[in-house]
Amino acid sequence: MATRSFDVIVIGAGPGGYVAAIRAAQLGKKVVIVEREHLGGICLNWGCIPTKALLRSAEVFHLFHRAKEFGLKVEKPDFDFDAVIKRSRGVAKQLSSGIGHLMKKNKVEVVMGQARLAGKGRVTVATDKGTEDLQAPAIILATGARARSLPGMEPDGDLIWSYRHALQPPRMPKDLLVIGSGAIGIEFASFFNTMGAKVTVVEVADRILPIEDAEVSAFAKKQFVKQGMTIHEGAKVALTKGNGSVTARIEAGGKTEDKVFDTVISAVGIVGNVEDLGLEEAGVKVERTHVVTDEFCRTGVEGLYAIGDVAGAPWLAHKASHEGVMVAELIAGQHVHPLKPGSIAGCTYCQPQVASVGFTEARAKELGFEVKVGRFPFIGNGKAIALGEPEGFIKTVFDAKTGELLGAHMVGAEVTELIQGYIVGRSLETTEAELMETVFPHPTLSEMMHESVLDAYGRALHF
Ligand SMILES: Cc1cc2nc3c(=O)[nH]c(=O)nc-3n(C[C@H](O)[C@H](O)[C@H](O)COP(=O)(O)OP(=O)(O)OC[C@H]3O[C@@H](n4cnc5c(N)ncnc54)[C@H](O)[C@@H]3O)c2cc1C
């Protein structure tokens, strides 16, 4: 088949790639996107979205158990595990097919197959029907990442699961070990714990959710333990597979114990999809499984960009999409701004939820800032009490000299929706004075965001 020419070739149709394709098309470019598996990438099919669908089932199930508190009657709360999984897969499918419609609407051509760089401005795609040759002056690598696997803990889909297995599990676990307490590990721990599994979490760092503010980690741990989880921090683990079970040797706090589990979820990080792309021949620099880029996602090879998970941390869908827009605009000759890492929020949709943006208190101090810190507890907020969600807090960290909001850290109901308020504030380079003068609607959980700021300056009203 003859080589077909485009303005932009995007490799990978996750939230990085498909968003880049849409934006480039909006700017008048002739765009082709190549995808080897599903439109929507990990995020829509095996990540952000199906996990949130599962966690929603868990949340509703949890509320069923609390029905009496709300004056309601639910006899013997129960669930159909297959139906819970089916709903999650259905949600993923709906969104993935939505991306197909978006591609059509924006006149982005979709080629299903495995892409590989094939010289300057050239890509070959292995499809069901043979090989397709494409060329374009701009190529965007958005090939994403996959689960990292540690020796002796390789997922087998039976006893040891990766996130993909956990999203389409062969059974509801009874005794579950989750290795790793980043967002992915903790979300699965929270889901299966709420659904009734006995959950143990091991974390090699000295605290769970290790990138969060230390007060948030400590609070979340207390809540998880209250919910029945066992948590080992600063822990090492080694697995021995048996017949239908896994024995885990867990070393933590100076003690070593052997525990038996019917299921293990390995959530020990991710690695970039950099293989079989022709990166070496193209002269692209790869460091620790990620393509090295500058702040504009340029790889150093003319016309070749890398965005999203394959270009490194933070491994978040919104970071991938934002980079996708930036690169599309750069290719179209627009003036763009580099992404500010301190404005990318992280959200974990466990129960209670966790959300943060900017520096933790410890990091701000390490960087030499003199800080003012505000805190406000959910128990002091009318809406939280009315919702029956009195557990949690919002912490804000300000630069004492300039009043700049350096960071915000939240744990409690719906904080993943609230964090956006502070992100807008940070984007607009707001200070404490503007935040204090802002009128927050009543009764809302967002009032705690106001109170936390007031507290940093000794002015909290409701606590
Ligand atoms: C369980 C889980 C939960 C998550 N939850 C969240 C969350 O709540 N919020 C959040 O922000 N992030 C979350 N993430 C992370 C998020 O999914 C990723 O950050 C995001 O998907 C990255 O987008 P991307 O476009 O860079 O790559 P991906 O979504 O990984 O997409 C890359 C695409 O490229 C394709 N591809 C790879 N190589 C080739 C090739 N050679 N040819 C053709 N196609 C190729 C792949 O098939 C894939 O579809 C979660 C991840 C997991 C695993």
Side-chain angles (χ1 to χ4, degrees):
M1 204 188 283
T3 301
R4 294 192 300 141
S5 298
F6 294 85
D7 297 323
V8 182
I9 302 171
V10 182
I11 304 179
Y18 83 73
V19 167
I22 292 174
R23 187 69 189 122
Q26 283 175 345
L27 292 167
K29 300 289 174 192
K30 187 179 172 203
V31 185
V32 61
I33 190 163
V34 187
E35 170 56 51
R36 67 180 176 195
E37 194 183 357
H38 307 283
L39 296 180
I42 293 300
C43 177
L44 271 60
N45 296 285
W46 301 104
C48 326
I49 298 298
T51 49
K52 281 17 155 256
L54 291 183
L55 285 156
R56 176 71 171 153
S57 291
E59 190 182 352
V60 175
F61 187 52
H62 169 73
L63 285 173
F64 275 7
H65 283 95
R66 293 180 52 195
K68 209 170 156 200
E69 250 179 73
F70 296 91
L72 306 173
K73 283 186 187 170
V74 176
E75 308 256 317
K76 284 203 191 136
D78 202 358
F79 61 87
D80 171 346
F81 191 57
D82 290 344
V84 169
I85 302 301
K86 198 170 157 202
R87 175 175 182 276
S88 162
R89 298 316 308 154
V91 170
K93 198 167 167 204
Q94 181 181 340
L95 282 158
S96 174
S97 58
I99 303 302
H101 296 302
L102 285 175
M103 295 299 102
K104 243 188 221 143
K105 184 181 155 210
N106 287 283
K107 301 189 172 53
V108 172
E109 179 162 343
V110 176
V111 174
M112 293 306 291
Q114 172 89 22
R116 190 184 160 87
L117 301 175
K120 192 170 167 9
R122 287 176 176 269
V123 169
T124 57
V125 187
T127 73
D128 281 355
K129 296 182 195 109
T131 303
E132 275 222 44
D133 296 314
L134 310 171
Q135 67 177 24
I139 299 173
I140 304 174
L141 294 170
T143 53
R146 61 184 184 278
R148 188 167 132 203
S149 143
L150 295 180
M153 299 182 190
E154 293 85 357
D156 58 16
D158 176 22
L159 295 173
I160 306 178
W161 299 350
S162 69
Y163 60 79
R164 284 206 183 212
H165 304 121
L167 281 165
Q168 232 174 359
R171 63 181 172 276
M172 169 70 200
K174 287 194 179 72
D175 267 297
L176 171 67
L177 173 67
V178 177
I179 304 177
S181 76
I184 295 176
I186 283 295
E187 287 187 2
F188 282 119
S190 188
F191 168 70
F192 285 111
N193 189 62
T194 308
M195 301 309 281
K198 204 167 165 315
V199 175
T200 299
V201 177
V202 291
E203 169 56 56
V204 69
D206 62 355
R207 57 192 171 86
I208 58 160
L209 294 165
I211 64 168
E212 298 297 342
D213 190 275
E215 281 179 57
V216 168
S217 294
F219 185 90
K221 179 183 173 187
K222 218 162 120 192
Q223 296 299 313
F224 297 150
V225 169
K226 222 161 83 181
Q227 293 164 16
M229 281 190 214
T230 302
I231 293 182
H232 298 285
E233 295 167 322
K236 278 191 197 152
V237 65
L239 305 181
T240 311
K241 280 206 258 182
N243 194 7
S245 68
V246 178
T247 302
R249 175 154 293 185
I250 302 171
E251 276 180 63
K255 277 197 280 182
T256 301
E257 57 181 330
D258 286 345
K259 283 187 165 184
V260 179
F261 299 91
D262 60 49
T263 309
V264 177
I265 295 178
S266 167
V268 293
I270 60 160
V271 291
N273 292 325
V274 292
E275 300 82 2
D276 301 326
L277 278 171
L279 294 181
E280 208 171 303
E281 298 88 319
V284 176
K285 201 167 161 205
V286 174
E287 247 173 43
R288 299 175 66 210
T289 83
H290 293 103
V291 173
V292 177
T293 58
D294 67 7
E295 78 263 42
F296 295 108
C297 300
R298 294 179 295 210
T299 61
V301 174
E302 203 194 334
L304 187 62
Y305 305 81
I307 61 171
D309 279 6
V310 74
W315 298 286
L316 293 166
H318 39 289
K319 176 254 191 188
S321 297
H322 195 92
E323 287 180 341
V325 169
M326 180 183 72
V327 165
E329 292 179 352
L330 188 65
I331 291 168
Q334 295 198 349
H335 178 69
V336 296
H337 300 282
L339 182 54
K340 291 186 202 148
S343 292
I344 307 170
C347 296
T348 307
Y349 300 73
C350 45
Q351 212 175 27
Q353 294 184 358
V354 171
S356 60
V357 66
F359 299 135
T360 61
E361 181 182 350
R363 183 72 187 133
K365 285 179 177 163
E366 257 170 43
L367 292 171
F369 286 101
E370 193 189 315
V371 297
K372 274 193 187 294
V373 176
R375 292 178 188 82
F376 194 83
F378 272 52
I379 191 76
N381 176 265
K383 179 74 180 290
I385 308 281
L387 290 176
E389 300 287 357
E391 305 280 4
F393 66 86
I394 294 182
K395 173 173 174 179
T396 42
V397 182
F398 288 91
D399 180 344
K401 288 201 182 109
T402 62
E404 184 191 352
L405 176 63
L406 296 174
H409 308 278
M410 306 171 153
V411 54
E414 300 306 335
V415 296
T416 57
E417 295 293 336
L418 295 180
I419 192 74
Q420 185 55 30
Y422 286 137
I423 302 170
V424 172
R426 277 178 61 81
S427 290
L428 300 176
E429 296 179 1
T430 193
T431 61
E432 90 294 354
E434 287 155 327
L435 285 167
M436 285 198 275
E437 278 170 29
T438 303
V439 183
F440 285 74
H442 176 76
T444 60
L445 297 174
S446 73
E447 287 171 284
M448 290 184 283
M449 297 169 66
H450 192 212
E451 291 274 14
S452 178
V453 177
L454 292 174
D455 183 58
Y457 290 84
R459 290 181 42 184
L461 296 166
H462 292 92
F463 202 72

